[in-house]
Amino acid sequence: MPNGIKLVLFDMDNVLCDYDRGKRVACLAQLAGSTSAFVHKAIWETGFELLGDSGALDASDYLRGFGYQGAASREGWQRSVAEMSIGAGLKEGLTEPGQWTMGITGFGELLPYHENRIMLDKEKKDKWGLPVLSMDAEIKDNEKKMRKDMVSEAVEMLEAAGLKNVHSWDRGHPVGDGIHEMGAARMGRDAKTSVLNGHNQVWDAPNVFVTDGASMTSSACQNPSLTYMALTARAADFAVSELKKGNI
């Protein structure tokens, strides 16, 4: 692109896949013995945002918020593994669709803590003799309180939708389990207080650009991948311009 990247648009609704939410809601309604409108309202119209905007929610227990991702599907052939069946009966049974199930997972915001950090290990080296990365990070009391709310609200929503045999669990959260780690190379306006400038360029090494989540000083409960892609597109455009000018 001789003129550089001017605009990047992502239409994620139809790029990779599509799904019929209405059909899934109808199946859930059938499973719950309810109506599609009732299930849709119980899951997608909980009123959390309106309550938060109105100040009706008490934030004294923990800061920030969370959201859910989930899916509904039929049980697959694995449902019959434990039965140890064989022969025509097993084959015939597996031609019928399994029961509908639904699961949701909570995604919460982790507060930025100064003591959560990444550093070079002074003792351990890689096969080239270079120090490996060492991480020292954990969730704290705020996140643990939020997780309890995630679980209770998830159960309440699913039961309100009419689902039966709703079970919850909390297996803990080691930092990194959410995949999208952020921080450790702050973006800022001053080289004394940040690692990167506004173009994701390292202050002390102008030919190095860091375009993942390291530049972000805080997170949210949404997937940040599109933000990473936008930062990368902007940084690449700036780098090409600087190369042409002979600045790097």
Side-chain angles (χ1 to χ4, degrees):
M1 302 177 69
N3 297 324
I5 299 174
K6 299 299 183 184
L7 180 64
V8 179
L9 297 177
F10 301 97
D11 180 6
M12 297 305 292
D13 284 337
N14 293 295
V15 172
L16 296 177
C17 61
D18 197 6
Y19 70 98
D20 188 343
R21 186 171 73 177
K23 183 177 292 185
R24 294 197 175 200
V25 171
C27 291
L28 281 172
Q30 183 179 6
L31 175 66
S34 183
T35 64
S36 296
F38 182 83
V39 171
H40 187 282
K41 184 176 181 179
I43 297 176
W44 283 280
E45 299 177 19
T46 61
F48 276 132
E49 292 185 20
L50 293 177
L51 289 173
D53 292 341
S54 66
L57 294 178
D58 182 9
S60 61
D61 199 32
Y62 60 85
L63 299 174
R64 310 298 171 84
F66 60 87
Y68 295 105
Q69 295 180 24
S73 62
R74 287 185 180 271
E75 294 177 329
W77 62 267
Q78 298 95 331
R79 70 186 188 274
S80 292
V81 170
E83 297 176 4
M84 301 298 291
S85 300
I86 60 174
L90 173 63
K91 293 180 180 180
E92 184 176 350
L94 292 181
T95 60
E96 297 295 326
Q99 293 293 320
W100 275 96
T101 62
M102 181 178 183
I104 58 177
T105 302
F107 289 80
E109 179 173 349
L110 272 67
L111 297 181
Y113 299 103
H114 184 70
E115 57 270 29
N116 280 352
R117 59 199 183 113
I118 184 170
M119 69 213 87
L120 293 177
D121 194 310
K122 296 180 180 179
E123 304 295 334
K124 191 173 183 179
K125 303 290 192 341
D126 63 16
K127 64 180 181 180
W128 295 281
L130 299 174
V132 300
L133 288 178
S134 175
M135 295 183 66
D136 183 7
E138 64 179 356
I139 64 171
K140 299 187 183 296
D141 187 58
N142 192 79
E143 290 76 34
K144 292 175 181 177
K145 290 180 177 178
M146 184 188 295
R147 290 177 68 83
K148 292 180 181 179
D149 212 15
M150 285 181 184
V151 173
S152 62
E153 296 296 340
V155 171
E156 183 178 344
M157 283 193 294
L158 293 177
E159 289 180 342
L163 274 71
K164 307 299 182 183
N165 300 319
V166 178
H167 304 283
S168 65
W169 74 94
D170 182 352
R171 57 183 174 83
H173 178 78
V175 175
D177 195 33
I179 301 174
H180 303 289
E181 295 80 23
M182 286 167 263
R186 178 194 301 267
M187 177 192 287
R189 295 186 175 91
D190 189 342
K192 295 179 180 180
T193 57
S194 58
V195 178
L196 310 175
N197 64 19
H199 297 285
N200 292 80
Q201 184 181 29
V202 177
W203 287 108
D204 296 329
N207 63 329
V208 178
F209 291 80
V210 181
T211 62
D212 59 3
S215 65
M216 302 172 70
T217 56
S218 63
S219 69
C221 61
Q222 296 81 13
N223 189 314
S225 296
L226 289 181
T227 302
Y228 299 169
M229 295 168 71
L231 289 172
T232 302
R234 186 179 66 170
D237 183 46
F238 177 78
V240 170
S241 175
E242 290 295 284
L243 277 170
K244 289 179 178 178
K245 295 174 184 177
N247 293 335
I248 55 175

